[in-house]
RNA sequence: GGAGACGUCGCAUAGUCCGGUCGAGUGCGCCUCACUGCUAAUGAGGUAAGGGGUCAAACCCUUCGGAGGUUCAAAUCCUCUCGUCUCCGCCA
């Protein structure tokens, strides 16, 4: 939810942001109108109610005829108060639904445009020249089969398309990646967390996933619970309705399964485990003072880069354009790993600065020097397991189909230097 | 799944039976001041959030887990709901 007071002050800034996202500009005007109406209705209700309470206090003291007279007076007042209250409630609900429909105000530094208008910030690492090395690139599906690490066929048999089993070395690799990620995060000041993957509507709503992203969320109707698409949801909602005390930023890193319906991506990335309905992920999350959020965003990006560098995977960083931001994000950086079989960079991690958008919805604030203050939330992927496996297998493959294990990961895999073909 | 108890201002509690003087007392914690060689102790005062209003105040409204209802009036009565705890059953 955006800051209504700020919108009141400068509606044009919000309009500009909506335009940059390619979303409704006139929604801003509707909010302004609804806001004026609300304040009028609020004043009406409040003065009637104040009157009612004042007379009520007299009723309590009065006796006999005097009391009867007051009762008669306040009886009609009571009806007026009720009418004013219900009018206020309707206007309030209307305003709320309009404000909730507004996406976060984009960071002016974010490149304006659609999906393809991102800006490449940097490229890191060296892509291998497989032709020069003298062998044809295998994709992660082939490698996964050779190693006995990924079983897609049986994933489909048991659960349908976009499901998989990690088997043998694949299963151990996931655990190794997760441990490396969690250990790294803890060293960097994150509190390790294992959060619930099923959440109530309030948590989903509060993090902004029931808006335009709703069609990609699994919903368990009989229990009215949602399967989270990212640990961002239970981590953000962890402090829902709280005023944070003490030192900020407060950083958490969670290991959790992620479930995504992938509606609207039919036919996209159908091969392998690049785009699946379920995967596991280590996610970073930060509750941060508003004026430190931009620096914190850079920090999260830095942690993501360090992880990719530890895995020796070539990647680039892009500054995602306004039209491609999630509704909660003011700015987003993606790390895209080089995928040799596709001869292009593909997203493996993503970090967003949600400024105060989520914390307003979730009613999270912090006690600062000047009292209770709003707070910024930021999230970033440390390791999305399946996509990391794709990048790892493909970039570190050897001529015979075996895969070199990067040094940083070896301690978590019994010191082995390679995944060998079975 | 069955039976019961309970959700109050950071924490712990009072208030609920018998509706108004309760937006709410007390203790602890925290903040300010005084006293003290320092700390501690003691004394005085302050200490929920959100909204409206104001140059700033004053002031007003809302919130006693949540949602409804009864009433002139609800922390207090009624209904539903969520959560916590205890016992039983079941289970990893």
């Amino acid at each position: 939810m955006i800051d209504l007071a700020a919108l009141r002050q400068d509606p044009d800034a919000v309009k500009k942001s909506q335009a940059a996202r390619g979303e409704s500009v006139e929604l801003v005007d509707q909010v302004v109108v609804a806001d004026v109406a609300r304040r009028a209705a609020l004043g009406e209700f409040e003065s009637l109610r104040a009157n009612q309470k004042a007379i009520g206090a007299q009723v309590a003291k009065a006796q006999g005829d005097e009391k009867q007279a007051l009762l008669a007076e306040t009886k009609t007042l009571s009806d007026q108060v009720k009418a004013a209250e219900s009018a206020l409630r309707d206007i309030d609900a209307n305003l709320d639904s309009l404000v909730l429909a507004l996406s976060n105000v984009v960071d002016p530094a974010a490149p304006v445009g659609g999906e393809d208008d991102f800006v490449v910030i940097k490229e890191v690492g060296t892509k291998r020249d497989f032709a020069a090395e003298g062998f044809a690139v295998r994709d992660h599906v082939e490698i996964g089969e050779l190693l006995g690490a990924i079983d897609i066929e049986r994933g489909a048999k048991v659960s349908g398309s976009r499901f998989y089993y990690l088997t043998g070395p694949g299963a151990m690799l996931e655990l190794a990646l997760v441990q490396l990620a969690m250990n790294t995060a803890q060293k960097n000041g994150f509190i390790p967390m294992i959060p619930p993957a099923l959440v109530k509507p309030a948590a989903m709503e509060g993090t902004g996933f029931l808006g335009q992203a709703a069609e990609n969320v699994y919903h368990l109707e009989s229990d009215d619970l949602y399967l989270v698409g990212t640990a961002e949801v239970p981590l953000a909602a962890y402090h829902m309705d709280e005023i944070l005390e003490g030192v900020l930023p407060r950083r958490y890193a969670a290991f959790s399964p992620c479930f995504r319906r992938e509606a609207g991506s039919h036919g996209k990335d159908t091969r392998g485990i690049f785009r699946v309905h379920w995967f596991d992920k280590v996610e970073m999350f930060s509750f941060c003072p508003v004026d430190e959020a931009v620096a914190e965003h850079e920090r999260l990006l830095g942690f993501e880069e360090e992880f990719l560098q530890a895995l020796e995977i070539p990647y680039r960083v892009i500054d995602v354009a306004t039209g491609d931001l999630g509704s909660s994000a003011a700015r987003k950086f993606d790390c895209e790993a080089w995928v040799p079989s596709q001869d292009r960079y593909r997203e493996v991690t993503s970090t967003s600065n949600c400024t105060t958008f989520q914390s307003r919805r979730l009613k999270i604030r912090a006690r600062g020097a000047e009292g209770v203050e709003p707070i910024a939330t930021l999230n970033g992927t440390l390791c999305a397991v399946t996509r990391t496996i794709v990048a790892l297998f493909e970039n570190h493959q050897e001529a015979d189909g075996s895969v070199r294990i990067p040094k940083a990961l070896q301690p978590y895999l019994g010191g082995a230097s390679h995944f060998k073909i079975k």
Side-chain angles (χ1 to χ4, degrees):
Chain A
M1 178 163 53
I2 70 159
D3 183 357
L4 192 53
L7 180 147
R8 199 142 61 204
Q9 285 232 307
D10 188 4
D12 286 341
V14 182
K15 284 184 187 176
K16 213 173 138 194
S17 166
Q18 286 289 101
R21 284 176 173 276
E23 292 175 16
S24 170
V25 172
E26 64 188 39
L27 184 57
V28 180
D29 288 320
Q30 290 171 19
V31 168
V32 170
V33 170
D35 179 47
V36 170
R38 187 190 82 99
R39 277 184 294 164
L42 184 65
E44 170 82 10
F45 163 74
E46 285 189 352
S47 64
L48 283 168
R49 178 75 176 142
N51 211 328
Q52 183 189 34
K53 286 175 78 165
I55 296 177
Q58 292 175 45
V59 170
K61 288 182 211 151
Q63 297 290 329
D65 287 349
E66 192 192 353
K67 184 162 194 162
Q68 292 312 312
L70 284 167
L71 278 180
E73 186 181 349
T74 191
K75 213 157 203 163
T76 61
L77 241 187
S78 171
D79 290 339
Q80 290 175 353
V81 168
K82 273 181 188 143
E85 188 172 20
S86 94
L88 175 62
R89 207 180 296 182
D90 289 347
I91 288 169
D92 236 345
N94 178 247
L95 175 63
D96 271 357
S97 69
L98 290 172
V99 172
L100 285 175
L102 282 172
S103 290
N104 198 2
V105 177
V106 300
D107 188 323
V112 175
E115 197 178 344
D116 301 323
D117 296 314
F118 59 84
V119 171
V120 176
I121 295 177
K122 59 169 131 172
E123 296 194 34
V124 179
T126 314
K127 301 172 202 163
R128 282 166 65 188
D129 183 346
F130 289 94
E133 292 187 39
F135 70 97
V137 170
R138 294 185 175 89
D139 79 359
H140 73 276
V141 178
E142 279 182 78
I143 298 166
E145 275 170 20
L146 286 169
L147 299 178
I150 307 172
D151 190 337
I152 290 165
E153 234 171 85
R154 290 198 178 88
K157 176 178 78 176
V158 174
S159 302
S161 68
R162 295 201 194 282
F163 284 93
Y164 60 95
Y165 284 74
L166 294 181
T167 57
M172 298 313 282
L173 174 55
E174 157 149 352
L175 295 179
L177 286 168
V178 169
Q179 283 208 59
L180 174 62
M182 289 298 263
N183 282 343
T184 308
Q186 192 171 21
K187 255 178 238 157
N188 288 327
F190 291 79
I191 298 168
M193 301 278 272
I194 298 188
L198 284 169
V199 300
K200 297 200 270 190
M204 218 62 187
E205 178 86 60
T207 38
F209 283 96
L210 292 187
Q212 73 227 105
E215 61 170 11
N216 274 310
V217 174
Y218 284 104
H219 181 220
L220 303 185
E221 214 164 303
S222 52
D223 298 287
D224 200 16
L225 288 171
Y226 292 89
L227 281 161
V228 302
T230 162
E232 175 189 342
V233 175
L235 286 180
Y238 186 62
H239 287 302
M240 181 162 58
D241 297 320
E242 292 181 22
I243 296 170
L244 301 182
E245 314 271 353
V247 183
L248 294 175
R250 204 175 290 201
R251 301 188 178 101
Y252 298 97
F255 170 60
S256 86
C258 305
F259 300 94
R260 301 184 178 185
R261 293 188 64 235
E262 294 296 345
S265 57
H266 299 295
K268 220 194 256 181
D269 302 313
T270 50
R271 185 169 164 80
I273 59 169
F274 187 82
R275 186 179 299 278
V276 286
H277 286 308
W278 146 76
F279 60 96
D280 294 320
K281 177 159 67 74
V282 175
E283 177 82 1
M284 302 176 284
F285 199 89
S286 176
F287 296 91
C288 173
V290 171
D291 57 1
E292 292 175 33
V294 168
E296 182 75 352
H297 199 193
E298 296 285 344
R299 247 173 258 137
L300 293 187
L301 177 60
F303 295 139
E304 293 183 356
E305 289 193 61
E306 275 172 37
F307 191 77
L308 288 171
Q309 285 166 22
L311 296 181
E312 301 167 38
I313 293 170
Y315 66 93
R316 71 176 182 186
V317 178
I318 66 165
D319 193 345
V320 174
T322 50
D324 203 22
L325 294 173
S327 68
S328 300
R331 197 170 191 198
K332 176 158 93 167
F333 302 118
D334 285 355
C335 290
E336 299 184 323
W338 179 251
V339 178
S341 70
Q342 299 184 16
D343 199 34
R344 61 175 170 150
Y345 287 103
R346 301 301 309 272
E347 176 186 340
V348 283
T349 69
S350 177
T351 178
S352 295
N353 178 0
C354 296
T355 60
T356 60
F357 187 82
Q358 285 178 333
S359 61
R360 275 178 215 285
R361 289 182 165 222
L362 292 164
K363 300 196 179 71
I364 303 169
R365 290 148 295 168
R367 206 175 299 280
E370 285 156 48
V372 175
E373 297 164 349
I375 194 170
T377 61
L378 301 98
N379 61 76
T381 320
L382 192 53
C383 178
V385 170
T386 43
R387 288 194 177 182
T388 304
I389 290 176
V390 170
L392 202 87
F393 278 4
E394 297 205 8
N395 282 290
H396 299 331
Q397 61 184 297
E398 309 282 24
D400 65 354
S402 65
V403 170
R404 181 175 68 81
I405 299 172
K407 269 234 150 45
L409 213 47
Q410 289 179 7
Y412 299 96
L413 288 164
S417 65
H418 284 77
F419 289 116
K420 301 204 169 70
I421 56 173
K422 59 176 181 184

